[in-house]
Amino acid sequence: MSKTSILYILLALSFLSCKKNSSKNADATTGATKWVDSLIYPEETHFKSIRQVTFGGDNAEAYWSFDDKQIVFQSNNKSWDVNCDQMFLMNVDDTFKDNIPPMVSTGKGRTTCSYFLPDNKHIIYASTHLGADECPETPLRKNGKYIWPIYDTYDIFVADLEGNITAQLTHEKGYDAEPTVSPVGDKIVFTSTRNGDIDLYTMNLDGSDVKQITFELGYDGGAFFSPDGSKIIFRSSRPKTEEEIKEYKDLLAEGLVQPTEMELYICNADGSDLRQLTDLGNANWSPFFHPSGKKILFSSNFESERGFPFNLYLIDLDGKNLERVTHSETFDAFPVFSNDGKYLIFSSNRNNGGGHDTNLFIAEWQD
């Protein structure tokens, strides 16, 4: 399951009104770095300043190059001539209101979860294009419950920054997606259904030495390495009761899962010392390590009675000192720190005029 596919489910859960901000940043143009403090809610003290990057569609999964000079992200912005998620490249000071960033995926199928390789000249991402040129359907409900598809045509590819595919890293039948790269630059962690369940695996940058690192029943995904590459944080839905297990297995047999109950888990990079980090209820997901390596920043709706809003929270590695970071009335998720720890890019519904667009924002971070 792609991390961004969760976005569509969660936005469906949050069919909602949006708090309007005082500034719409209407004069933003490509190449113009415009920081707009009015886009920061008063309680958001970790944000020194902020600027909006995109202005339409669903934009998410934005990841920094190792030298922090560029960002790769996915978007389904219809005005960019795409029908479903494709990958786009930007310089860190770019802003897109009336301009279109260069596409670095094939434009075929559906893509998800791009990430830079250490050379800053290549990216990895998952794509369904070998299965069909068209976008696969995205069912949102089954028996009245929200679900998402686990496309068995996803494989992981390497591409240069011109969009040319230079390698295919996975060839197994089933879902291979959600790859991220260790900051150390030696390993990739990804999610796969190759064993009949949805588990985490690691591999070398060339696709060799594949190792399974999670083994419990349930969906394990959205994994990221710690800054020193020694740990992995991820989200998981772990069915416990007989009814939950049956429902999970029945949906998985149809290539489906439910996203509404997930907690965060942490382990060593080889899968050892696995433990549950949160026990908050509802959906806790899109975790990312704080630059110190001692905290996790993540998105959650655990304080929400109706499924929304989603906000960002910090928590220590021992599960203590939970702190709310954003104070949106709608949706904040996909937080990713720059490698130097000075900036945070994330997706948000803020400043979208009360609609459903989810845009990228870059904030100057302060502890």
Side-chain angles (χ1 to χ4, degrees), residues 9 13 48 153 182 187 220 254 273 301 303 312 318 353:
I9 306 298
L13 284 170
K48 183 179 180 180
T153 51
S182 169
K187 292 288 183 180
D220 300 333
E254 298 182 53
D273 194 24
N301 67 342
E303 294 185 296
L312 302 183
D318 60 4

Side-chain angles (χ1 to χ4, degrees), residues 22-314:
S22 58
S23 171
K24 294 186 181 299
N25 198 14
D27 58 346
T29 58
T30 296
T33 301
K34 184 172 180 62
W35 300 95
V36 185
D37 292 343
S38 59
L39 297 179
I40 302 174
Y41 295 98
E43 304 90 344
E44 295 175 341
T45 57
H46 284 292
F47 295 166
K48 183 179 180 180
S49 58
I50 196 170
R51 67 182 177 91
Q52 186 168 346
V53 175
T54 62
F55 293 82
D58 293 317
N59 305 272
E61 302 278 6
Y63 300 112
W64 307 78
S65 58
F66 275 64
D67 61 8
D68 287 333
K69 293 181 179 180
Q70 292 182 295
I71 292 169
V72 63
F73 68 99
Q74 65 194 56
S75 178
N76 66 0
N77 191 333
K78 297 299 187 291
S79 66
W80 294 354
D81 195 28
V82 295
N83 294 317
C84 58
D85 287 329
Q86 295 294 330
M87 297 303 168
F88 295 88
L89 182 69
M90 60 173 281
N91 296 320
V92 293
D93 58 353
D94 283 345
T95 302
F96 302 99
K97 186 173 177 62
D98 302 313
N99 305 73
I100 302 176
M103 185 189 300
V104 288
S105 53
T106 64
K108 300 177 181 180
R110 182 187 296 274
T111 67
T112 189
C113 307
S114 57
Y115 217 87
F116 270 92
L117 290 177
D119 66 0
N120 298 309
K121 298 178 180 180
H122 294 84
I123 60 169
I124 56 173
Y125 68 94
S127 176
T128 66
H129 71 268
L130 293 185
D133 289 352
E134 298 76 22
C135 298
E137 294 184 4
T138 306
L140 295 178
R141 281 182 176 272
K142 184 177 179 63
N143 299 326
K145 295 183 178 181
Y146 291 101
I147 49 91
W148 70 60
I150 301 291
Y151 300 119
D152 61 8
T153 51
Y154 265 130
D155 273 302
I156 299 172
F157 300 86
V158 179
D160 62 26
L161 300 189
E162 301 298 321
N164 303 304
I165 291 178
T166 60
Q168 182 176 343
L169 299 185
T170 61
H171 299 82
E172 298 285 333
K173 181 180 180 180
Y175 177 85
D176 290 309
E178 307 179 35
T180 64
V181 181
S182 169
V184 177
D186 61 340
K187 292 288 183 180
I188 295 169
V189 62
F190 66 103
T191 297
S192 179
T193 58
R194 62 184 63 196
N195 69 347
D197 193 21
I198 313 175
D199 289 302
L200 294 181
Y201 295 75
T202 60
M203 62 182 170
N204 294 334
L205 299 188
D206 63 0
S208 64
D209 194 26
V210 176
K211 294 180 180 178
Q212 183 177 346
I213 63 169
T214 61
F215 298 86
E216 295 184 34
L217 184 70
Y219 163 54
D220 300 333
F224 294 91
F225 288 93
S226 59
D228 65 0
S230 67
K231 293 181 173 60
I232 289 175
I233 184 74
F234 63 97
R235 62 172 183 252
S236 180
S237 60
R238 296 284 175 83
K240 302 296 185 185
T241 67
E242 288 186 11
E243 181 180 357
E244 290 173 343
I245 291 172
K246 183 180 185 306
E247 184 176 33
Y248 172 79
K249 289 183 175 180
D250 288 347
L251 284 173
L252 184 56
E254 298 182 53
L256 304 169
V257 283
Q258 289 185 26
T260 51
E261 293 184 10
M262 295 181 290
E263 298 292 347
L264 302 184
Y265 288 74
I266 192 168
C267 63
N268 293 330
D270 63 1
S272 62
D273 194 24
L274 174 68
R275 58 187 173 85
Q276 186 172 336
L277 179 62
T278 63
D279 189 17
L280 299 173
N282 289 355
N284 304 277
W285 63 297
S286 66
F288 200 85
F289 277 90
H290 181 271
S292 68
K294 298 179 179 179
K295 294 177 178 288
I296 302 295
L297 185 61
F298 67 101
S299 180
S300 178
N301 67 342
F302 80 94
E303 294 185 296
S304 309
E305 295 182 0
R306 296 182 295 162
F308 66 89
F310 282 84
N311 278 288
L312 302 183
Y313 298 83
L314 276 171

